[in-house]
Amino acid sequence: MTDRTTESAPDEKPKLKEYEGEGITVTFEPRRCLHAAECVHGLPEVFDLSRRPWVLPDAAEAGLVAEVVRRCPSGALRYHPADGSVEHPDAPTTVRRTPSGQLVMRGDLLVTGAYGDRPEARVVLCGCGASGHQPYCDHSGPCAEPDDDVPGQR
């Protein structure tokens, strides 16, 4: 297993941390994480913020790791199975606005932002316009207020 970080220039893709396992690789985009804690609650043996590396993909069966990663509402966590398969987006696509204005989306998405078009399966988009990471929510504006209907939100 490796813990690799892909650094990028400001006009390129955002920084991703890659945690490679035998059966599955998990990637993490720190700027997108909204701390819903679905990962650490779902598989604490794989996702443990108190250790380095904090993600150990081989600490559980690859299918379970994928299932927990799919719970990440922001899409900060993604996975790539060793067999070359990909995450299948939810169908139909769903869009839900939280009381604080975030747009929680799941499905076959193409998000256009500062880094160009990005295919997505799960995102939380900024609905208030204050995010410094547009179009993604970064909790820097009114969206920073916790919503009772978003599990694990600060």
Side-chain angles (χ1 to χ4, degrees), residues 59-82:
E61 188 270 320
L64 288 174
V65 174
E67 178 183 318
V68 169
V69 167
R70 282 191 299 270
R71 294 182 201 165
C72 174
S74 69
L77 287 171
R78 295 181 182 208
Y79 67 92
H80 309 282

Side-chain angles (χ1 to χ4, degrees), residues 89-109:
D90 288 1
T93 296
T94 60
V95 178
R96 180 178 56 85
R97 180 179 290 279
T98 68
S100 64
Q102 298 164 315
L103 297 173
V104 180
M105 304 175 75
R106 296 182 74 90
D108 190 8
L109 310 167

Side-chain angles (χ1 to χ4, degrees), residues 3-154:
D3 175 3
R4 290 185 282 189
T5 300
T6 305
E7 296 292 339
S8 59
D11 60 345
E12 294 178 10
K13 287 168 122 178
K15 181 174 67 169
L16 293 178
K17 294 184 178 189
E18 186 174 275
Y19 303 92
E20 189 175 331
E22 292 295 318
I24 193 166
T25 296
V26 175
T27 60
F28 176 60
E29 187 177 333
R31 285 188 70 189
R32 297 244 321 254
C33 183
L34 297 177
H35 309 290
E38 292 291 332
C39 55
V40 296
H41 293 241
L43 278 176
E45 63 274 24
V46 173
F47 304 96
D48 183 349
L49 297 172
S50 68
R51 74 167 177 246
R52 294 293 175 258
W54 76 281
V55 179
L56 298 176
D58 291 333
E61 188 270 320
L64 288 174
V65 174
E67 178 183 318
V68 169
V69 167
R70 282 191 299 270
R71 294 182 201 165
C72 174
S74 69
L77 287 171
R78 295 181 182 208
Y79 67 92
H80 309 282
D83 67 8
S85 62
V86 296
E87 178 178 354
H88 294 288
D90 288 1
T93 296
T94 60
V95 178
R96 180 178 56 85
R97 180 179 290 279
T98 68
S100 64
Q102 298 164 315
L103 297 173
V104 180
M105 304 175 75
R106 296 182 74 90
D108 190 8
L109 310 167
L110 185 64
V111 177
T112 301
Y115 306 104
D117 293 342
R118 294 182 69 185
E120 302 280 5
R122 296 169 279 112
V123 296
V124 177
L125 299 179
C126 177
C128 69
S131 174
H133 188 47
Q134 290 290 339
Y136 304 98
C137 180
D138 68 1
H139 280 188
S140 62
C143 299
E145 297 301 317
D147 287 331
D148 293 335
D149 67 340
V150 179
Q153 198 178 66
R154 299 187 246 181

